[in-house]
Amino acid sequence: MRLAPVVALAVMFATSMVRAGDPAADLDERGIVALEQALLDAGTLGRVMNLAAHPDDEDSGMLALCRHGLGLRTSAVYANRGEGGQNEIGSELYRELGAIREVETLRADRRIGAHAYFLGLEDFGFSKSADESFTHWGGQEAVVERVVLVYRLVRPDVVFTNHDATTGHGQHRALAIAGLEAFHLAADPTAFPEQFERYGVEPWQPTLFLERTNGPGQREEQAADRASWIHVRVDERDPIRGTTFRAQAHAALKEHASQGRWVEPDRAERSFRVKARQHESLLPPAEDPFDPVALTRLRVFRALAEAGDTPPKDHPAQRLLEYGAVRRQWPSTRSTEELQAAIDAQERAFAAILDADRDGRLRHLAADIAEARARLAHARAIAAGTDVPRDMAEPDPFLFASPAYDVLDPLRRAPRCEPVVVDFAPRKRLLVETADTNKTRVEAVAIVTLAAPLADTVPVELVGQDGAHARHVVWSGVVNPGATRQLLAIAFDFDANSRSGRFVLRDARTRTPWPHVELQVHRVSVRCPAGLTIGVVQSYDDTLVNALADLGVAVVRLQSDDLAFRDLSRFDAIFVDIRGYFVREDLVTFNDRLLAYARDGGTLVVQYQKSFEWNPATNGGHAFAPYPLLLSNARIVDEHAPVEMLKSDHPVLSWPNRIGSADFDGFVHERGLYFPKPPFAPEYRALLRCADPGDPALDGGLLVASVGKGRFAYTSFGWYRQWKNGHEGSLRLLANLAAWGRMESR
């Protein structure tokens, strides 16, 4: 693909040119960059769409190439907001994490010029099959219906996806299946006809459906059947911005901060398999399907053909193709006068096509042309010395309501915010009931965010929603005028006989609850020895620290100097948080001191880590466990999968809380992930066995070993999600791990 060089009007726009590679350049482009992009945009009417199951599944490299390099209109369609994933920047999960990822996705797509659309489906966690995903999403037809609607609304020429129907994540497979089925149904007027009146759309047939593949033997298959393969490179340099499209994609991916660090950019080449094709006479298989001139011809001539018009060689539509072809060949010495003449010629071609359509048969083409004319007007304004941002209406990315987002979140879009938004920290408060105490005091902080400062003081009250506190006011206070964000210290006594309750903050005058996140209170029964002191090597999540604090133990967050120099023997146990070896460089450096602590009589507990950051072959040769221990990518996604106690008399399963299979009832999301690879070193003892239905059993969910005078445990169960949810059995096992050393010293 040849890309146009930058037009040499640098003197004219010297005061407004942005630096190549400046992160802000993609977000608010001015000067020569904005001019070149506007001219590029006006040379094509083509549209491409990328289907992605989750945020960060989008093909940013292709989207950057298509938008910034070829001027095509680009869109990225997401099945969900990724709320079921892991959060690498904080402790937010589920709906709160989805709100964060929504913002990240909009920022990422804005960097590469793509419009985002969300299908509003649930991210329920990792799935091993498309059938499971369709079941969670209300059936295959329901998913296909949503994809059909987005095809009809956006009207893409080419649809491409990183997913396929047979490999990887079940949600990826389901979207690939639904996307291909929708490709064949979107043009059928009998398929989901209610969409036409409800959304104002019409049948639309995309031209190509492409699946990205990087499997073995692709070169041989491609050589044998070239019509079924398309090969693209994204490491070309953008002549407008001076960076490669691959680098632009990497910058966009970095916006997905909650998903990781994105150290390496995606690969430089793409291979796509053609899964479905239409309009071969207008876009022959031998032609580049991403060529902006070819897609303009396709879009114009299919509209004319559908209107019953066969354009002659002197039809005004032919002039659009001439502009596109000339635009791609412009030398860098083209003068300002020639630039204005080219803009005038393209404008006349647009006007001639619209003038020829006297009966309105080309209304969709007219809409495409109106958008291109707006880009020409923007280019003309810049060339005339008026350097202003392009004022174009952005499409609404939120086509579908999602049950997981029916409560307003402070991170949602500002134009949709209510005058008042309430949050709580923490949102869920646990009251741990022990053999000696029955706690009743609840303490939390209410976060009140206002769209504008209040003029007067407003009395507020916290009221129960269910249980013994239903409709009872348990706390009263005021929100003061002046600040738009206020914190309220809330404390009240919870009914001693209640196991759970929900509370909301409301205006005491009207008794109307404000848009809110509920404060939830749960009472759990856990035995935990008094006087425990636990050290925590915390990563990005504070769930473990909060859970230990709820158990009543003293918690110390270990810093670099603690790991390097301080006496660790004062701790009854030290816990390494989830993903700790990825997040904490000091942990990697001083891990030997933790192992020495264990050998000298301490208890070291490591929560799940990912295989690439734990295994020596991929982490720089580090071995973090006292005995050989390699992790796999295996996971148990069925949160209801039975759990078998392999050594029920082991202290971790017997003291101070007796752990049985019932303690694993009520799990959420999944059982565990990144289970250790068998066979295990003989020093390890497996305490738990579990399996997804139809899969081999995994025994590495909780491995324990004696280390010198002390103890070591590695657990791949997803405890942090359970602790955050107030799961009683998980808290009981946490207390046992914390007290393991006490038991063995009795």
Side-chain angles (χ1 to χ4, degrees):
M1 297 180 181
R2 289 195 61 186
L3 306 176
V6 178
V7 178
L9 301 175
V11 174
M12 183 176 180
F13 303 110
T15 59
S16 56
M17 183 180 295
V18 294
R19 298 191 309 275
D22 187 338
D26 295 328
L27 304 181
D28 186 15
E29 295 177 329
R30 304 289 187 93
I32 190 69
V33 174
L35 172 66
E36 284 293 312
Q37 187 66 55
L39 293 171
L40 193 63
D41 295 347
T44 181
L45 305 178
R47 299 185 179 209
V48 299
M49 175 182 288
N50 183 210
L51 293 183
H54 313 92
D56 91 348
D57 287 338
E58 70 272 17
D59 192 334
S60 300
M62 279 300 299
L63 290 168
L65 169 66
C66 291
R67 181 76 200 100
H68 290 161
L70 303 173
L72 302 172
R73 315 302 186 262
T74 57
S75 56
V77 178
Y78 301 89
N80 53 53
R81 293 165 170 82
E83 66 272 16
Q86 303 159 41
N87 182 359
E88 298 198 11
I89 59 173
S91 59
E92 296 87 355
L93 294 174
Y94 305 114
R95 191 177 63 84
E96 293 77 31
L97 177 57
I100 292 172
R101 289 190 172 171
E102 175 187 297
V103 173
E104 292 175 344
T105 300
L106 295 177
R107 288 173 177 167
D109 285 344
R110 191 179 177 203
R111 281 194 173 277
I112 52 178
H115 292 311
Y117 296 90
F118 293 93
L119 297 183
L121 301 169
E122 177 192 3
D123 181 7
F124 54 88
F126 188 85
S127 169
K128 294 184 177 180
S129 72
D131 288 342
E132 180 190 18
S133 300
F134 283 132
T135 299
H136 275 273
W137 289 346
Q140 183 169 335
E141 183 179 7
V143 181
V144 171
E145 180 180 7
R146 295 187 181 215
V147 182
V148 164
L149 176 58
V150 80
Y151 285 172
R152 289 171 172 173
L153 182 73
V154 181
R155 298 164 42 243
D157 303 304
V158 179
V159 179
F160 61 98
T161 180
N162 285 352
H163 311 319
D164 66 73
T166 59
T167 62
H169 198 313
Q171 293 183 29
H172 296 182
R173 301 185 203 183
L175 186 62
I177 292 170
L180 183 57
E181 184 176 346
F183 178 92
H184 297 293
L185 290 178
D188 183 354
T190 67
F192 314 113
E194 65 280 359
Q195 292 181 355
F196 305 138
E197 180 176 354
R198 181 176 180 182
Y199 296 100
V201 297
E202 295 183 9
W204 177 259
Q205 178 60 67
T207 297
L208 282 174
F209 187 90
L210 310 177
E211 284 183 358
R212 179 178 169 184
T213 179
N214 296 292
Q218 65 180 30
R219 297 285 186 172
E220 291 76 10
E221 291 184 50
Q222 186 175 359
D225 185 10
R226 293 184 182 278
S228 298
W229 289 86
I230 295 166
H231 188 64
V232 182
R233 295 195 67 87
V234 296
D235 57 350
E236 294 185 48
R237 186 167 297 277
D238 180 352
I240 297 177
R241 294 164 185 82
T243 57
T244 67
F245 303 110
R246 187 185 185 201
Q248 293 172 15
H250 192 212
L253 283 173
K254 287 182 176 180
E255 294 286 359
H256 296 289
S258 67
Q259 310 222 35
R261 296 181 183 176
W262 301 105
V263 177
E264 295 294 332
D266 197 1
R267 62 187 63 192
E269 58 184 1
R270 302 285 190 275
S271 289
F272 293 100
R273 191 195 307 271
V274 179
K275 300 295 292 185
R277 184 190 298 272
Q278 295 288 337
H279 312 122
E280 286 196 25
S281 62
L282 296 177
L283 189 66
E287 195 153 15
D288 180 359
F290 295 102
D291 181 281
V293 175
L295 291 181
T296 300
R297 181 187 64 238
L298 165 71
R299 208 164 181 89
V300 171
F301 287 5
R302 69 175 283 190
L304 294 172
E306 290 166 359
D309 188 358
T310 302
K313 291 184 178 181
D314 60 350
H315 192 281
Q318 302 286 359
R319 300 174 197 167
L320 296 182
L321 307 182
E322 295 171 5
Y323 171 88
V326 170
R327 171 66 186 87
R328 296 169 62 196
Q329 302 298 328
W330 273 357
S332 59
T333 56
R334 182 164 294 276
S335 66
T336 305
E337 291 75 16
E338 290 174 307
L339 170 64
Q340 292 285 10
I343 293 175
D344 292 341
Q346 182 75 334
E347 178 62 39
R348 287 193 296 271
F350 284 145
I353 294 174
L354 297 180
D355 290 343
D357 180 32
R358 294 186 175 86
D359 54 6
R361 293 176 300 168
L362 304 180
R363 58 186 177 280
H364 289 311
L365 182 61
D368 294 342
I369 289 176
E371 185 177 345
R373 292 179 83 177
R375 287 172 164 81
L376 273 181
H378 186 226
R380 190 188 301 278
I382 299 174
T386 306
D387 186 17
V388 296
R390 181 171 58 89
D391 184 17
M392 294 286 289
E394 299 291 338
D396 185 357
F398 308 99
L399 300 177
F400 305 95
S402 173
Y405 288 79
D406 56 355
V407 177
L408 187 69
D409 190 283
L411 293 174
R412 297 300 298 277
R413 301 158 300 284
R416 300 191 176 192
C417 282
E418 299 290 335
V420 183
V421 175
V422 177
D423 198 357
F424 292 96
R427 294 180 177 179
K428 184 170 293 185
R429 174 59 76 189
L430 300 180
L431 297 178
V432 178
E433 183 180 65
T434 67
D436 303 321
T437 62
N438 185 13
K439 295 181 180 179
T440 60
R441 195 63 173 170
V442 176
E443 296 176 343
V445 174
I447 306 167
V448 180
T449 304
L450 307 167
L454 296 173
D456 301 303
T457 299
V458 173
V460 295
E461 55 192 19
L462 191 74
V463 61
Q465 295 289 90
D466 58 9
H469 293 286
R471 296 182 296 278
H472 288 180
V473 175
V474 297
W475 176 89
S476 300
V478 297
V479 177
N480 294 310
T484 57
R485 178 181 169 89
Q486 299 183 37
L487 305 181
L488 306 177
I490 292 178
F492 64 96
D493 288 319
F494 188 69
D495 181 74
N497 298 314
S498 296
R499 303 301 297 178
S500 64
R502 298 177 298 117
F503 302 85
V504 298
L505 195 68
R506 71 184 185 187
D507 187 325
R509 302 167 303 179
T510 64
R511 296 188 174 182
T512 301
W514 282 336
H516 62 280
V517 173
E518 294 177 337
L519 171 63
Q520 299 182 30
V521 180
H522 290 277
R523 190 185 304 281
V524 295
S525 297
V526 179
R527 293 180 179 273
C528 190
L532 290 177
T533 301
I534 306 298
V536 174
V537 185
Q538 186 176 353
S539 57
Y540 43 73
D541 186 276
D542 59 4
T543 302
L544 171 60
V545 170
N546 291 337
L548 288 167
D550 284 331
L551 293 177
V553 307
V555 182
V556 178
R557 293 177 172 88
L558 300 182
Q559 306 302 324
S560 296
D561 57 345
D562 297 309
L563 297 175
F565 305 113
R566 304 293 176 255
D567 178 17
L568 301 178
S569 64
R570 62 192 178 100
F571 297 110
D572 292 279
I574 293 177
F575 283 73
V576 175
D577 212 346
I578 57 174
R579 307 291 308 283
Y581 290 95
F582 183 68
V583 175
R584 296 283 297 268
E585 181 184 16
D586 54 352
L587 173 61
V588 173
T589 303
F590 303 118
N591 186 69
D592 286 346
R593 292 201 74 233
L594 294 184
L595 295 179
Y597 155 80
R599 286 193 297 269
D600 291 340
T603 299
L604 178 60
V605 180
V606 179
Q607 289 199 82
Y608 93 85
Q609 312 294 311
K610 287 190 175 182
S611 54
F612 76 89
E613 64 207 24
W614 176 271
N615 294 340
T618 52
N619 72 2
H622 300 287
F624 299 125
Y627 311 112
L629 182 65
L630 297 179
L631 303 185
S632 71
N633 292 326
R635 58 204 302 165
I636 299 176
V637 300
D638 184 353
E639 64 270 34
H640 308 297
V643 178
E644 179 185 353
M645 310 298 112
L646 297 179
K647 297 184 181 298
S648 59
D649 59 343
H650 191 278
V652 170
L653 298 182
S654 61
W655 190 85
N657 303 281
R658 174 66 65 176
I659 304 297
S661 58
D663 285 294
F664 294 85
D665 294 343
F667 254 50
V668 297
H669 200 78
E670 61 190 352
R671 286 297 192 199
L673 61 172
Y674 300 101
F675 279 72
K677 289 182 180 180
F680 311 128
E683 292 85 356
Y684 293 111
R685 296 290 181 269
L687 302 187
L688 304 176
R689 174 174 292 162
C690 190
D692 272 327
D695 285 358
L698 299 177
D699 293 352
L702 178 55
L703 296 178
V704 297
S706 295
V707 184
K709 300 177 183 178
R711 295 146 296 279
F712 173 83
Y714 181 91
T715 179
S716 52
F717 268 59
W719 303 112
Y720 73 107
R721 292 184 185 273
Q722 318 316 318
W723 297 331
K724 192 176 186 69
N725 201 44
H727 184 261
E728 185 170 297
S730 300
L731 289 164
R732 284 157 50 83
L733 194 138
L734 175 62
N736 287 10
L737 285 167
W740 184 8
R742 288 279 186 96
M743 170 62 177
E744 295 199 345
S745 64
R746 291 174 66 187

